[in-house]
Every structure is written in structure tokens, then in C-alpha cells.
Amino acid sequence: MSDGSGNGQLAGKVAVITGAASGMGLATAERFVAEGRTLAKLHDAPSIVKVFDFVEANGTSYMVMELVQGGTLEDRVKAGGPLSPAEVEALLPPLLDGLEKVHEAGYLHRDIKPGNILLNEAGVPTLIDFGAARMAVAGRSSTMTAIF
């Protein structure tokens, strides 16, 4: 398994997510596969969770993705109250840069919320959960992506 660096090995820790949850319906399994394929195309987008590999084998789907250690923005707000203007100023630029790459690739996230933004130990944000993402089709999509 590779991280794209050419050395053939992944650097650091990864999370392996499987789509083989018991009782997972076909629609849920299809969303899992779609999320893996979406994220694999966005490997170089800033502040977007990195997927290093996506495998379908033996009737199960697996994603090998970046392990972001920390909590969610939702956890941070619950524990510490509203963000200061300086904290918002620090979080928004990398998230918006990442979303710009997502949109350039033709996708809409469709579920941006504090629970889908991880903050690592340094407070750097990473947008996760692209399960609701879909290709934006010109003139046929009424979904808007917004951060509140």
C-alpha cells in the first residue's frame, strides 16, 4: 500500500474503515463505496480527509484513510463554548481551500457541520464524511453547500 510518495509505504498511522457492518443495506453499502471513490479523487485537497487506498474484496469494501487524532469541532464547541473570531479566522481558510478543490472536482459535500470537521492536536481542521457527496450536475442540482 502506498501514500503516493513513491517509496511504496504509508507514513504514519491510518484508519481502516470497512463497509461490512452487519445489517448494512444495499443503499448504505453503495454510499460507502461512493464515499471511498469520491475521497480517493480528492487526495491532494487541503483539509479534506485523505484516502490512501480503496479496496473491494470478498463482498466487502475497505477504505484506508488518514488517521486524524483529535476531536470534532462539535466536541470543541460543546466543551469550550462558541469559537472566538480569531478561531473562526484560523479554521475557515483551510476548509474553504479544501472545499474549493471538492467543487472543482465536481462534488458537493452536502453535510458540512461541526460533527464532520475533525480538529487535530494543533487545531488544524479536516473535513470528513463524504457519504452524502454527489456529483454536481449543471442545472440539475439544487443542493447548496454552506458553512454556518
Side-chain angles (χ1 to χ4, degrees):
M1 207 172 306
S2 173
D3 65 358
S5 66
N7 67 11
Q9 297 296 316
L10 287 172
K13 297 180 180 179
V14 297
V16 178
I17 310 295
T18 180
S22 65
M24 178 183 280
L26 181 59
T28 303
E30 288 174 355
R31 281 194 302 272
F32 181 83
V33 169
E35 178 177 5
R37 289 189 177 132
T38 298
L39 288 169
K41 293 177 185 177
L42 299 171
H43 195 294
D44 294 326
S47 290
I48 303 298
V49 68
K50 310 286 187 259
V51 169
F52 300 112
D53 206 354
F54 180 76
V55 179
E56 291 181 81
N58 302 317
T60 302
S61 301
Y62 303 89
M63 272 191 277
V64 180
M65 57 196 335
E66 169 186 22
L67 177 63
V68 179
Q69 295 192 5
T72 66
L73 178 57
E74 180 179 34
D75 295 337
R76 161 53 190 87
V77 171
K78 284 180 180 176
L83 300 177
S84 70
E87 289 172 308
V88 172
E89 246 179 75
L91 290 177
L92 281 182
L95 286 171
L96 293 176
D97 288 345
L99 280 171
E100 182 176 29
K101 296 293 185 187
V102 169
H103 294 168
E104 285 173 1
Y107 291 94
L108 299 174
H109 185 281
R110 295 179 33 161
D111 195 20
I112 298 171
K113 60 186 178 185
N116 284 341
I117 299 171
L118 294 177
L119 300 175
N120 69 12
E121 287 108 5
V124 176
T126 300
L127 186 60
I128 62 169
D129 194 359
F130 280 71
R134 73 169 180 198
M135 289 292 290
V137 180
R140 293 180 39 188
S141 176
S142 61
T143 303
M144 292 182 59
T145 302
I147 298 176
F148 295 102

